[in-house]
Amino acid sequence: MKDESNGINNSVDRRSFMKKSLATAGTATVGAAVLTNASSLFAKGEGPEERSGRLTKGDAAILRFLAAAEILETDLWQQYNELGGIQDNEVPGGSGSPAYTAAISQLDTDMAQYIHDNTEDELTHEVFINAFLASKGADTVNLDQFRTLPSSKASGAQQIGRLTNLTQLAVDTSWWTRYRSRTGNPDLGDTFPQAIPTLAVGQHTAIPRTDADLTDSNFLQAIANTAGFHFGTIEQGGTRLYPQLAQRVTDVEVLRVVLSIGPTEAMHFQTWQDKAGNAMALTAVDPVTGVSVTFPDLNSPPFGGEDFQTNLIMPEPTAFLSRQLPACSIVRPTKSQGAAMGALKFLTAMGLFTGQSPAFFQLMADLAEDADEAKRGGH
């Protein structure tokens, strides 16, 4: 991961790309129906700035970063849906893995439906934001050329190129304690312990890599538990990203788009936070990598207490803006500075892009940099 993360930390040449196509591997039919005359251009190094059309430069940059984030979310959720969700004409692709679906259902019997609906939501978000950009004469985002990562070889998965890697994850579960803390807020410099410490280190798979991963029921349940916590990790990221970037938006209609989509991410997060609390306590060793993971009983010592309690799925009141003000139940964090680059570094650190090319990281860093430079009222 060193070489890949360096692509984020280093400055990037502006402008490195211009995109005007809506079609993606998972949404080609929908995208083509919205934009029939789409074209795309990718140029290395210096190139023309993206068109902002009738939007301010900052608003267009924010929407392009959000479109890219939603494309990446759709890609990972499609992989989950192909193996553990419901495959239909709303979310096509894949044929399901009965054993994996059964393991996921241990967290809730409706998990397949929830996975399906989360996937469809992200799909509509990416298509809508790109279509909105196009309707304003602004350039849109297409990541198709980076669909080079392999699919799971387990029965039920499509064999197509992917943008994201769900098989080598280090899942940050500090959001669990962050949302239960009555005193801490990352905006005020606080840090929080991991709910599942072993899941935050090493490389863990959240989907079966091959059918061999289905043979050991204990390890298969560990994979399903990993997915359950990864769902919450991803969606709490979206929950905070939209209000963070909304503070930099200028146009009222763009603000309406951001404020209308953002709360759906919070709905996803609360759903997955509830289901993660049902993960079975177990210890398993990956037979391929030798990495061990332990899912503890979060309601018992050495865990337990309000910071780990599994049925506390609504944000506990905490410090906001100043410790001199009363506690308030909030999304956390919501500081706007560096929000887009922070989101990109967060996704990269968990291993979601393991195997991606330097060009991918440069493009994503460029999108994030532009979004973070947006200022309310800027042109």
Side-chain angles (χ1 to χ4, degrees):
M1 292 298 294
K2 287 184 179 179
D3 291 339
E4 295 164 348
S5 61
N6 283 343
I8 294 176
N9 294 327
N10 294 341
S11 60
V12 294
D13 290 334
R14 299 166 52 94
R15 297 295 322 159
S16 62
F17 84 107
M18 180 167 65
K19 289 291 183 181
K20 296 172 64 177
S21 172
L22 270 178
T24 64
T27 61
T29 302
V30 180
V34 179
L35 280 187
T36 56
N37 296 320
S39 63
S40 65
L41 170 68
F42 185 91
K44 292 183 179 180
E46 294 293 341
E49 287 198 0
E50 303 93 329
R51 294 188 308 168
S52 299
R54 295 183 296 282
L55 300 173
T56 68
K57 180 179 177 181
D59 283 0
I62 286 171
L63 289 176
R64 272 192 286 270
F65 182 77
L66 290 174
E70 295 290 359
I71 290 170
L72 294 170
E73 272 199 281
T74 299
D75 181 81
L76 71 89
W77 277 108
Q78 283 181 317
Q79 294 179 68
Y80 281 127
N81 193 73
E82 288 171 16
L83 292 168
I86 295 172
Q87 299 80 39
D88 58 19
N89 59 3
E90 293 177 344
V91 185
S95 56
S97 169
Y100 180 63
T101 302
I104 286 280
S105 73
Q106 295 300 311
L107 280 67
D108 191 287
T109 55
D110 289 324
M111 287 290 278
Q113 185 67 56
Y114 296 155
I115 291 171
H116 168 281
D117 290 350
N118 205 140
T119 308
E120 183 184 22
D121 286 356
E122 309 304 354
L123 179 61
T124 64
H125 292 168
E126 75 162 83
V127 172
F128 179 87
I129 295 173
N130 260 339
F132 180 82
L133 281 163
S135 74
K136 300 298 183 180
D139 288 333
T140 62
V141 179
N142 182 323
L143 301 179
D144 279 358
Q145 73 183 88
F146 302 113
R147 295 182 184 277
T148 58
L149 302 182
S151 294
S152 163
K153 297 302 186 289
S155 300
Q158 290 190 93
Q159 296 308 302
I160 58 175
R162 310 289 185 175
L163 293 169
T164 57
N165 185 340
L166 299 180
T167 66
Q168 295 173 272
L169 299 175
V171 183
D172 184 344
T173 57
S174 62
W175 53 267
W176 183 276
T177 52
R178 185 197 326 145
Y179 271 92
R180 286 160 175 75
S181 173
R182 287 182 173 269
T183 58
N185 185 335
D187 284 336
L188 300 177
D190 298 309
T191 58
F192 306 87
Q194 298 286 334
I196 314 295
T198 55
L199 200 56
V201 295
Q203 294 184 328
H204 306 272
T205 186
I207 55 174
R209 296 158 296 197
T210 67
D211 287 342
D213 284 339
L214 307 174
T215 58
D216 180 337
S217 60
N218 188 62
F219 178 59
L220 177 58
Q221 190 60 54
I223 294 175
N225 286 3
T226 298
F229 276 93
H230 189 234
F231 296 166
T233 298
I234 289 294
E235 296 304 315
Q236 64 82 30
T239 296
R240 74 198 197 202
L241 181 61
Y242 276 86
Q244 285 175 314
L245 293 181
Q247 297 169 67
R248 294 178 176 268
V249 166
T250 295
D251 183 80
V252 172
E253 189 175 33
V254 175
L255 183 62
R256 182 180 180 186
V257 170
V258 175
L259 293 182
S260 297
I261 292 177
T264 68
E265 302 287 347
M267 294 178 192
H268 298 161
F269 171 47
Q270 186 165 10
T271 297
W272 298 127
Q273 185 174 191
D274 183 31
K275 304 318 166 192
N278 298 329
M280 297 172 62
L282 60 83
T283 295
V285 177
D286 188 323
V288 175
T289 66
V291 173
S292 177
V293 63
T294 296
F295 292 90
D297 178 353
L298 292 174
N299 295 307
S300 300
F303 298 93
E306 193 170 74
D307 283 357
F308 292 93
Q309 191 174 327
T310 56
N311 64 354
L312 294 182
I313 64 169
M314 300 179 190
E316 294 299 315
T318 194
F320 180 44
L321 297 182
S322 167
R323 297 193 193 278
Q324 307 307 311
L325 294 170
C328 184
S329 181
I330 53 164
V331 169
R332 58 196 87 161
T334 53
K335 256 187 184 175
S336 182
Q337 184 176 6
M341 190 64 75
L344 179 57
K345 289 182 177 180
F346 170 75
L347 295 174
T348 302
M350 76 172 65
L352 195 62
F353 307 133
T354 299
Q356 270 291 0
S357 66
F360 169 84
F361 288 102
Q362 179 166 333
L363 173 56
M364 290 304 303
D366 196 40
L367 284 168
E369 182 183 74
D370 285 355
D372 283 337
E373 288 178 352
K375 293 180 175 61
R376 183 179 294 279
H379 297 285

